[in-house]
């Protein structure tokens, strides 16, 4: 079959088009509790807070999914830690400098949780610590053996 230069050009772009459909721009990841335990330990989070309590809180907040986004009254909560747009992260670029974590909330929805951990550590160093997360008070104050690895 004869191909014109235009047809050949379109055919060479087809794999890129298909790749764009298969791989979304923002990739999410669902972590396992032991994988998170290891990552958090490597990042020194265990020096700040009990990892079983934190892992339990993360599970009951986001199900360990980086793409979790929840509307909570007048603000949203983002990512694997469910960090609030109510002062912790900013929904608009012009508000980033005024947020505690100095980050756009949308950055908390990708599969790289490095910036999420940095932000969570800032929150965990405050006197309220894990009490910033409602799931902690409800589900993660006792019987934490299942969250160990």
């Amino acid at each position: 079959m004869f191909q014109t230069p235009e047809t050949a050009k379109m055919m060479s772009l087809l794999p890129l088009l298909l790749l764009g459909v298969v791989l979304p721009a923002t990739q999410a990841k669902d972590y396992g509790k032991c994988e998170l335990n290891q990552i958090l330990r490597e990042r020194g989070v265990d020096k700040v807070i009990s990892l079983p309590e934190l892992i339990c809180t993360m599970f009951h907040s986001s199900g360990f999914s980086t793409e979790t986004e929840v509307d909570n009254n007048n603000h949203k909560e983002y990512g694997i830690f469910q960090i609030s747009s109510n002062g912790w992260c900013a929904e608009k670029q012009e508000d980033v400098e005024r947020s505690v974590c100095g980050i756009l909330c949308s950055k908390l929805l990708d599969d790289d949780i490095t910036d999420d951990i940095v932000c969570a550590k800032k929150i965990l160093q405050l006197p309220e610590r894990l009490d910033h997360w409602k799931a902690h008070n409800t589900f993660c104050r006792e019987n934490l053996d299942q969250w160990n690895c």
Side-chain angles (χ1 to χ4, degrees):
M1 181 170 150
F2 179 86
Q3 285 187 341
T4 65
E6 291 81 20
T7 306
K9 190 176 192 180
M10 286 182 9
M11 293 302 288
S12 68
L13 293 175
L14 186 60
L16 290 175
L17 177 63
L18 291 174
L19 186 62
V21 171
V22 173
L23 296 174
T26 302
Q27 299 222 337
K29 179 170 180 169
D30 293 333
Y31 285 86
K33 75 174 181 180
C34 292
E35 181 182 14
L36 278 172
N37 194 306
Q38 180 180 347
I39 291 168
L40 295 171
R41 192 176 307 283
E42 287 170 0
R43 303 265 172 36
V45 177
D46 59 326
K47 308 284 190 260
V48 178
I49 198 78
S50 157
L51 288 186
E53 275 186 277
L54 180 57
I55 298 287
C56 174
T57 302
M58 292 169 70
F59 174 78
H60 288 290
S61 297
S62 70
F64 299 147
S65 175
T66 61
E67 70 179 352
T68 304
E69 186 175 340
V70 175
D71 286 319
N72 190 355
N73 296 327
N74 296 329
H75 62 278
K76 288 184 178 180
E77 296 170 346
Y78 294 85
I80 197 164
F81 288 100
Q82 285 296 277
I83 293 172
S84 174
S85 64
N86 191 16
W88 301 113
C89 63
E91 292 184 324
K92 299 176 190 167
Q93 184 64 45
E94 58 266 20
D95 297 330
V96 167
E97 288 184 28
R98 290 190 299 268
S99 68
V100 171
C101 294
I103 190 170
L104 276 172
C105 298
S106 60
K107 297 230 181 222
L108 301 171
L109 296 172
D110 60 17
D111 65 346
D112 180 359
I113 62 170
T114 304
D115 45 12
D116 308 52
I117 292 171
V118 169
C119 183
K121 281 175 78 172
K122 288 180 182 182
I123 298 168
L124 291 169
Q125 291 173 346
L126 297 171
E128 297 87 2
R129 301 167 63 82
L130 277 170
D131 290 336
H132 286 287
W133 288 271
K134 291 177 185 168
H136 176 254
N137 291 329
T138 307
F139 303 108
C140 304
R141 290 216 173 253
E142 52 189 39
N143 302 323
L144 298 171
D145 289 342
Q146 68 179 323
W147 303 106
N148 284 316
C149 286

